[in-house]
Amino acid sequence: MTQKLNIDRGIVRECRALAEHITNDLMGYIRSHTTDSVERSVVRLLGIDGADKSGTPYPNVFVEAVSRGRGLASGAAGFLADVMLTTGLGPDDAARAVAKKEISPDTVPRSDDDGREAVLKPLVDGAMGRIEENREHRERIKRDHPLSDAPLLYVIVATGNIHEDVVQAVSAAEMGADCIAVIRSTAQSLLDYVPYGPTTEGFGGTYATQENFRIMRAALDETAQKIGRYVYLVNYASGLCMPEISVMGAFERLDMLLNDSMYGIIFRDINPYRTFVDQHFSRMINARADIIINTGEDNYLTTADAFEAAHTVLASDIINEQFALHSHLMPRQMGLGHAFEIDPEKEDGFLLEMAQALLIREIFPDAPIKYMPPTKHVTGNIFQTHLVDMLFNVCSVMTGQTIHLVGMLTEAIHTPFVGDRYLSIKGARYARSNLKRLGQEIQFVDDGIIQRRAREVLKNAHDMLGEIADIGLLSALERGMFADIKRPPDGGKGKDGVVKKAPDYFNPFETLLEES
């Protein structure tokens, strides 16, 4: 793309070098530890699924048994292999036998690694083959039914009932939506298990379950045939079950997952160590499944001032990029986030927003940047909100954003109806069509407001990354350098699920994914 901001590329390279240093500091810890959620994701990949009569998922039952018996330091896959070699049971039957206490980790003899690898190989090949087939299937559908031109219009559904979500999603796709995001039930990110089966009740959203993914994927595939356009399916791999939801997304061919390296720490108070270990394994699965991740920097500006804290969004995007590279995600899979949140009363606010939006676009030219609509300064005045949303639409098109979350005129009230989505999609399509090449026709005044603001934000992000490189990312989080929220390294939920790997740690997927 044409560079219009005249930013110093040397500073950009230094920012990336600082972020690489920051993330390298944590990668030793990340690679030397596992979590109960990583182990549950491994046994899910190996075929353990379902739930007992109490609704407890068998992956939880199985991994908790390993944790109480042998401990998780050697991994759960080794115990599953030992059970299969000793009893001849398959993974599902093994999990059920463990649930009934017919088999105990204390009584099953340990096998050697060669035996374990041999007995699990068909399961490992099956899981990787299923993921690969989904990748190929997605590409075939996209060839037959190409995506719309960018920006892709991203619309949320959230009724609590997956079957009603399908009705809203199909309706939105027929109106012009390109991405359907099913918002999760409130606080699901704090559950240390993933509910099983289809769900028809939720709180402010719908539970993310593998069956719900399958139902929505089938509905959107059918819709793609009807409208001649592929529709992305989006959900959330964040919170305490991040790697497990990535496995489910890979198995059910989701296209995008909210999968930030720090969102759960900052906004859900999940332990930093737990989050960093989980995000690495979940992102390796996403990389293999060719799933686009979405990061959550847009949320920083709902708690911090968008003008004063603009550089924190850029700094975090650069850190998120480095964590993504460690997990083998390619730039085209990095839906790095930012948002249109400058106070509408601020003089030249639109120009300042243009500078920020274009700066992120120019620094990450190959990434499908995710651009979020205004929410912080939105009121119950739906006409004012619709007007601000149109400015957001204009900025999005002019600055070449890729994933455009459509603003709702009822954002500050409620969003249960299809009518508000119709008006919002119509407004976004109006801007996308009528302003399609406007950005190509415009150059900015040298050293004008937009260029000066972009340089200022970049310099501040560089200074911030330099400070974080000195003190470490964990200390930066503890000091509240992102979103004005402080999170201590040993605080938050889920730390007790983090375990240092033993020398005999066994995970047949880890090496395969690291080699992707």
Side-chain angles (χ1 to χ4, degrees):
M1 67 181 293
T2 305
Q3 305 293 313
K4 299 178 180 179
L5 296 176
N6 197 25
I7 56 175
D8 186 336
R9 289 284 151 185
I11 295 180
V12 176
R13 286 192 290 275
E14 287 179 14
C15 285
R16 285 198 161 98
L18 289 166
E20 185 179 9
H21 174 79
I22 291 166
T23 55
N24 282 344
D25 265 358
L26 282 166
M27 288 310 299
Y29 183 93
I30 290 169
R31 290 197 168 104
S32 64
H33 288 73
T34 185
T35 72
D36 44 15
S37 184
V38 168
E39 298 307 313
R40 294 196 299 261
S41 70
V42 170
V43 300
R44 284 183 183 276
L45 284 165
L46 292 170
I48 294 180
D49 197 7
D52 66 15
K53 290 180 180 177
S54 70
T56 305
Y58 282 120
N60 285 66
V61 173
F62 190 87
V63 170
E64 286 167 14
V66 178
S67 180
R68 287 193 303 271
R70 299 178 176 186
L72 289 181
S74 298
F79 174 56
L80 177 59
D82 295 343
V83 172
M84 293 173 67
L85 286 166
T86 304
T87 66
L89 295 173
D92 257 343
D93 289 336
R96 283 158 177 75
V98 169
K100 294 175 184 174
K101 303 188 186 310
E102 296 169 354
I103 297 173
S104 165
D106 299 326
T107 57
V108 175
R110 292 173 184 259
S111 310
D112 58 44
D113 281 355
D114 288 345
R116 287 174 164 182
E117 289 174 3
V119 76
L120 293 183
K121 188 175 188 308
L123 304 178
V124 173
D125 291 347
M128 302 307 278
R130 181 174 177 181
I131 292 171
E132 185 61 30
E133 168 57 25
N134 278 339
R135 286 175 59 122
E136 293 172 358
H137 190 55
R138 179 193 293 119
E139 291 309 308
R140 283 197 298 273
I141 299 179
K142 286 169 70 175
R143 279 197 296 273
D144 293 340
H145 305 295
L147 291 163
S148 299
D149 292 339
L152 301 175
L153 305 185
Y154 176 119
V155 176
I156 288 170
V157 298
T159 69
N161 181 324
I162 187 60
H163 304 293
E164 293 181 11
D165 284 347
V166 164
V167 175
Q168 287 203 350
V170 170
S171 175
E174 290 177 346
M175 292 177 206
D178 302 300
C179 313
I180 299 295
V182 183
I183 295 289
R184 282 192 304 185
S185 183
T186 299
Q188 186 182 348
S189 60
L190 302 181
L191 297 179
D192 212 351
Y193 68 96
V194 183
Y196 178 73
T199 62
T200 56
E201 293 181 348
F203 306 93
T206 305
Y207 285 103
T209 74
Q210 187 167 341
E211 182 61 12
N212 286 350
F213 290 177
R214 189 196 64 75
I215 291 169
M216 186 60 81
R217 178 72 277 167
L220 293 181
D221 281 354
E222 185 178 339
T223 303
Q225 300 285 339
K226 180 179 177 183
I227 64 178
R229 173 168 48 82
Y230 188 72
V231 181
Y232 278 151
L233 175 57
V234 188
N235 213 287
Y236 296 72
S238 57
L240 290 169
C241 296
M242 200 185 293
E244 294 177 86
I245 292 180
S246 288
V247 171
M248 297 175 188
F251 279 174
E252 302 305 331
R253 192 166 42 82
L254 267 68
D255 305 289
M256 291 185 197
L257 286 170
L258 281 288
N259 191 228
D260 196 292
S261 63
M262 296 192 289
Y263 174 87
I265 301 168
I266 297 169
F267 292 100
R268 294 292 177 264
D269 195 18
I270 295 172
N271 176 260
Y273 293 110
R274 169 70 177 263
T275 299
F276 286 128
V277 175
D278 280 348
Q279 63 88 29
H280 179 64
F281 196 73
S282 68
R283 285 182 171 191
M284 288 199 294
I285 296 166
N286 295 335
R288 190 63 173 241
D290 205 11
I291 290 172
I292 296 170
I293 64 163
N294 290 174
T295 64
E297 284 81 4
D298 45 280
N299 292 279
Y300 296 178
L301 304 182
T302 60
T303 52
D305 180 80
F307 179 74
E308 299 293 338
H311 64 287
T312 66
V313 171
L314 177 58
S316 179
D317 277 329
I318 295 172
I319 292 172
N320 242 318
E321 177 191 46
Q322 289 302 315
F323 275 126
L325 290 171
H326 282 299
S327 296
H328 315 295
L329 285 158
M330 292 177 282
R332 65 176 177 78
Q333 294 176 277
M334 300 178 195
L336 302 168
H338 66 122
F340 186 107
E341 289 289 11
I342 289 182
D343 187 343
E345 298 298 325
K346 190 170 188 60
E347 188 173 275
D348 287 325
F350 186 76
L351 276 64
L352 301 174
E353 181 57 43
M354 282 278 294
Q356 177 80 5
L358 193 55
L359 177 63
I360 291 179
R361 183 70 279 176
E362 288 194 3
I363 290 178
F364 305 102
D366 299 319
I369 299 297
K370 184 192 70 170
Y371 196 28
M372 299 290 285
T375 56
K376 185 174 182 178
H377 300 287
V378 164
T379 70
N381 182 342
I382 60 171
F383 303 107
Q384 170 73 14
T385 302
H386 205 40
L387 177 63
V388 177
D389 281 342
M390 181 50 79
L391 285 181
F392 162 71
N393 295 337
V394 171
C395 191
S396 178
V397 175
M398 287 184 66
T399 58
Q401 305 300 314
T402 311
I403 303 166
H404 172 108
L405 201 152
V406 174
M408 294 292 156
L409 67 164
T410 53
E411 176 69 37
I413 308 171
H414 48 65
T415 57
F417 304 119
V418 174
D420 59 354
R421 286 164 174 75
Y422 170 73
L423 293 172
S424 296
I425 293 170
K426 189 173 183 181
R429 294 182 68 185
Y430 175 33
R432 185 171 67 182
S433 173
N434 273 257
L435 305 177
K436 186 171 183 177
R437 297 181 181 83
L438 178 61
Q440 300 171 21
E441 297 288 325
I442 292 177
Q443 296 295 323
F444 300 130
V445 173
D446 284 342
D447 206 31
I449 293 172
I450 290 176
Q451 288 194 355
R452 290 201 309 274
R453 173 62 176 171
R455 288 198 291 270
E456 177 189 16
V457 172
L458 177 59
K459 178 184 180 303
N460 290 342
H462 177 271
D463 292 348
M464 181 178 180
L465 289 167
E467 183 179 354
I468 296 172
D470 288 338
I471 64 175
L473 185 54
L474 294 170
S475 293
L477 289 163
E478 187 171 26
R479 295 181 187 184
M481 292 178 69
F482 298 100
D484 292 342
I485 295 173
K486 298 179 180 180
R487 298 301 186 198
D490 292 316
K493 305 165 189 67
K495 176 71 184 301
D496 55 353
V498 183
V499 178
K500 186 173 176 55
K501 294 175 184 172
D504 65 346
Y505 177 74
F506 182 74
N507 176 348
F509 295 99
E510 191 170 58
T511 303
L512 286 173
L513 294 172
E514 287 284 8
E515 291 174 348
S516 293

